[in-house]
Amino acid sequence: MCFRRAWLVALLFALGFALSGTSAEAASLDEALAHFTADDFSETVEGINEVAAGGSPRAEIILRALQNDQLMFSAERKAVYIMDDAGKLTDAASGRPVVGAAPADLDNVRINNRLRGAIEAVLGGLTLLASDPGARFAAAQAVFKSRAAGTLPTLETAIAKEQDPRVKRALMEARAAVILSVADAKDEDKLAAVDIIRQRGDQDALGLLSSLPAGTSPRVMKAASAAIAAVNNRLIVWSVVQNAWYGISLGSVLLLAAIGLAITFGVMGVINMAHGEMVMLGAYVTFVVQEAIRTKNPELFDYSLAIAIPLSFLVAGGIGMLIERCLIRFLYGRPLETLLATWGLSLILQQAVRTLFGPNNREVGNPSWMSGAFDLGGITVTYNRLWIICFALAVFAALLALLRFTRFGLEMRAVTQNRAMAASMGIRTSRVDALTFGLGSGIAGMAGVALSQIDNVSPNLGQGYIVDSFMVVVFGGVGNLWGTLVGSFVLGIANKFLEPYAGAVLGKIAILVLIILFIQKRPRGLFALKGRAVEA
């Protein structure tokens, strides 16, 4: 009996404690909300801080409403409300719907840009302890940018609890940013914060270290100056790495565009000015495939490129073989006439595409696995560029395997080295020419699939790459695939390093001049072909 009575007393005590806590919390929230009824920016700041510090589960709802201009107040009733999109009012403190007519003096709680920044900082602080690591990381980034001093206690708690190394690093950086922005923080804490920001080493870190508040001690300023120098050196290194990455990315595009040209130019000696239009046709095949998938089976959109690649190879390769049989075979041995004929053909193909699809750019989307980017050290790597590099290298490896391990590859190499001797050995050189031209055109079509992910799909798509493709082929060595590989990446990287200093147009002109000077010294390019026909 005594045990039962003791248990009942304990239960009543716990219930009373909970009710008193709830009442205290409600009273605290009501006091914080009272600041919003003053219609004064300084009072609103106090209200924001007190709502966030009160720990009420409705704090985020109230602050989100304030951020979205949905927080209302009545000065006469000293009450604060939230108005939803339908115009219905709920009590901000309790969340209960307001019954009856709205107050006659109902008005918005006004905010300005400074208050918006304060709201974002406080909301970031509220989510520092969220269960989702992504939400905690985003909150830490928001606090780093706002540097709100009120978030410091929450940051300390979040750092102590955090288990994810990436999120914990972001929390420590946010804490360091807040400490450096607080004028009365201890020098020891500021020196430790300077070291953390120095290790971050990006433009945000540089801006933070360069804008320390007035009154910062000379010792901290000296450490900040050394950190600024270290960050600047790091940014220079990463700038070089970023330019190299952009150059490799451009080189992969040039490799895709030029590799088919290297085959036709090297084996057949044909200056094919319509090669760019084969690239353009591949891009339009991708557009047609995606339109069909959007209409018939939208769930297959992520597989659209896998479907478009073989189709573009077949379409562009088939058209290439048709061009060779109907036009090119009558012009062998006359390179100037092949140049003029294929240039005219390129104009015909462009106009045909304009007639079928119109002159405007066509939308080609990125599958989900090619969308987005990730940070690698101090550079940003986009998935579409990364996949294009992998695709270009895969096409190059497949082409090498074709030339090395198949009968057709053996015949192509024989015709390349000595056409007359190959014909005398029973190789049908006309058949090899047609298949070679089709292969080169098909590869150009696959290049169009890749280029559709990073460039505008229009009738003029191929024109932007034809000159660069010829430069790659001539620089690397006519007909040499390894020369095309090296030449494309060398020219891509050189172009990206020249662009920041000379601009895009002057950079290309400089590259062209350098190639002309190089060809004067090595007329056959980096990797000259060997063979009796070449030596002759």
Side-chain angles (χ1 to χ4, degrees):
M1 194 71 179
C2 294
F3 173 76
R4 186 175 299 175
R5 186 180 296 111
W7 180 85
L8 182 60
V9 169
L11 179 62
L12 290 173
F13 179 79
L15 182 60
F17 181 79
L19 289 174
S20 65
T22 303
S23 301
E25 182 182 285
S28 175
L29 183 58
D30 286 335
E31 291 172 3
L33 290 173
H35 290 287
F36 295 130
T37 64
D39 196 23
D40 180 79
F41 287 145
S42 59
E43 287 288 332
T44 302
V45 170
E46 292 293 328
I48 291 170
N49 292 331
E50 289 186 17
V51 166
S56 170
R58 292 194 54 79
E60 184 175 357
I61 297 173
I62 294 168
L63 293 175
R64 293 286 182 196
L66 178 61
Q67 187 180 44
N68 297 326
D69 295 325
Q70 293 178 318
L71 196 67
M72 318 295 290
F73 77 97
S74 169
E76 182 181 348
R77 297 185 184 182
K78 297 293 182 183
V80 181
Y81 309 95
I82 295 174
M83 179 181 288
D84 63 15
D85 294 334
K88 295 181 179 179
L89 291 179
T90 56
D91 183 74
S94 64
R96 289 191 293 269
V98 175
V99 180
D105 62 337
L106 190 68
D107 198 4
N108 281 93
V109 179
R110 296 182 302 123
I111 58 175
N112 55 20
N113 289 336
R114 182 172 66 89
L115 288 177
R116 290 186 188 278
I119 294 169
E120 289 179 3
V122 170
L123 286 172
L126 289 175
T127 53
L128 287 171
L129 300 173
S131 58
D132 180 22
R136 297 198 301 274
F137 183 81
Q141 295 292 340
V143 173
F144 179 89
K145 292 178 181 178
S146 65
R147 305 165 201 170
T151 60
L152 198 55
T154 311
L155 279 170
E156 300 282 3
T157 304
I159 291 171
K161 293 182 176 180
E162 188 57 59
Q163 300 296 322
D164 189 314
R166 173 172 171 265
V167 178
K168 189 165 188 174
R169 182 69 193 172
L171 291 169
M172 292 177 66
E173 290 170 355
R175 176 180 176 274
V178 172
I179 288 174
L180 289 177
S181 302
V182 176
D184 57 352
K186 296 180 180 179
D187 280 0
E188 289 73 17
D189 293 337
K190 287 192 173 184
L191 289 172
V194 166
D195 186 59
I196 291 173
I197 299 301
R198 177 187 61 78
Q199 293 176 36
R200 178 179 173 118
D202 59 2
Q203 288 290 349
D204 290 334
L206 191 62
L208 176 59
L209 292 170
S210 302
S211 58
L212 295 182
T216 304
S217 69
R219 188 160 61 125
V220 175
M221 292 299 296
K222 182 179 179 181
S225 298
I228 288 172
V231 171
N232 276 323
N233 291 335
R234 184 176 186 271
L235 289 176
I236 291 172
V237 172
W238 281 114
S239 176
V240 172
V241 175
Q242 184 78 74
N243 282 335
W245 166 252
Y246 288 152
I248 292 172
S249 176
L250 176 60
S252 67
V253 172
L254 294 178
L255 176 63
L256 281 173
I259 194 169
L261 189 64
I263 296 171
T264 56
F265 196 16
V267 175
M268 306 166 67
V270 174
I271 302 176
N272 181 18
M273 295 299 293
H275 183 77
E277 278 54 54
M278 300 298 107
V279 175
M280 177 261 293
L281 289 175
Y284 272 97
V285 168
T286 309
F287 165 72
V288 171
V289 168
Q290 288 196 353
E291 283 298 298
I293 288 177
R294 285 191 181 104
T295 305
K296 304 292 184 181
N297 294 293
E299 65 276 5
L300 294 178
F301 187 80
D302 278 349
Y303 302 96
S304 59
L305 296 190
I307 298 170
I309 287 172
L311 285 179
S312 65
F313 179 84
L314 293 174
V315 171
I319 293 175
M321 292 180 67
L322 185 64
I323 292 171
E324 196 279 334
R325 287 290 86 190
C326 297
L327 179 65
I328 301 297
R329 72 189 183 101
F330 300 109
L331 301 175
Y332 286 136
R334 293 179 284 179
L336 182 59
E337 293 182 22
T338 60
L339 184 151
L340 293 174
T342 54
W343 178 68
L345 181 63
S346 72
L347 298 180
I348 294 172
L349 290 172
Q350 287 181 46
Q351 191 56 47
V353 169
R354 283 192 184 92
T355 303
L356 288 173
F357 299 99
N360 298 326
N361 295 339
R362 291 295 178 172
E363 180 187 357
V364 175
N366 292 114
S368 60
W369 48 273
M370 287 189 73
S371 302
F374 63 93
D375 292 329
L376 184 63
I379 67 173
T380 300
V381 178
T382 56
Y383 285 110
N384 58 354
R385 292 280 184 173
L386 181 62
W387 279 111
I388 287 174
I389 292 173
C390 295
F391 179 66
L393 295 177
V395 170
F396 180 80
L399 190 57
L400 284 181
L402 176 72
L403 295 178
R404 177 69 178 84
F405 299 111
T406 66
R407 178 180 176 84
F408 171 63
L410 180 63
E411 291 178 350
M412 187 191 300
R413 285 184 285 132
V415 173
T416 301
Q417 294 179 14
N418 194 318
R419 176 178 291 271
M421 181 64 73
S424 68
M425 297 295 293
I427 296 176
R428 294 170 56 190
T429 56
S430 61
R431 173 178 170 275
V432 172
D433 288 337
L435 292 176
T436 300
F437 202 90
L439 176 63
S441 299
I443 292 174
M446 292 195 297
V449 178
L451 293 179
S452 70
Q453 301 299 297
I454 59 173
D455 208 341
N456 294 323
V457 176
S458 70
N460 300 320
L461 172 64
Q463 293 298 303
Y465 296 96
I466 186 65
V467 175
D468 290 337
S469 298
F470 272 109
M471 285 198 298
V472 167
V473 171
V474 173
F475 176 68
V478 175
N480 191 298
L481 292 183
W482 286 105
T484 303
L485 175 71
V486 174
S488 61
F489 285 113
V490 168
L491 293 184
I493 293 172
N495 194 63
K496 286 302 177 182
F497 274 98
L498 283 173
E499 273 185 9
Y501 305 101
V505 176
L506 289 178
K508 284 196 173 185
I509 293 174
I511 292 293
L512 179 60
V513 170
L514 291 173
I515 289 177
I516 292 172
L517 295 175
F518 177 80
I519 295 300
Q520 294 295 316
K521 296 293 184 182
R522 290 181 64 91
R524 294 178 186 169
L526 283 173
F527 299 91
L529 281 177
K530 303 297 182 180
R532 294 181 181 179
V534 175
E535 298 298 331

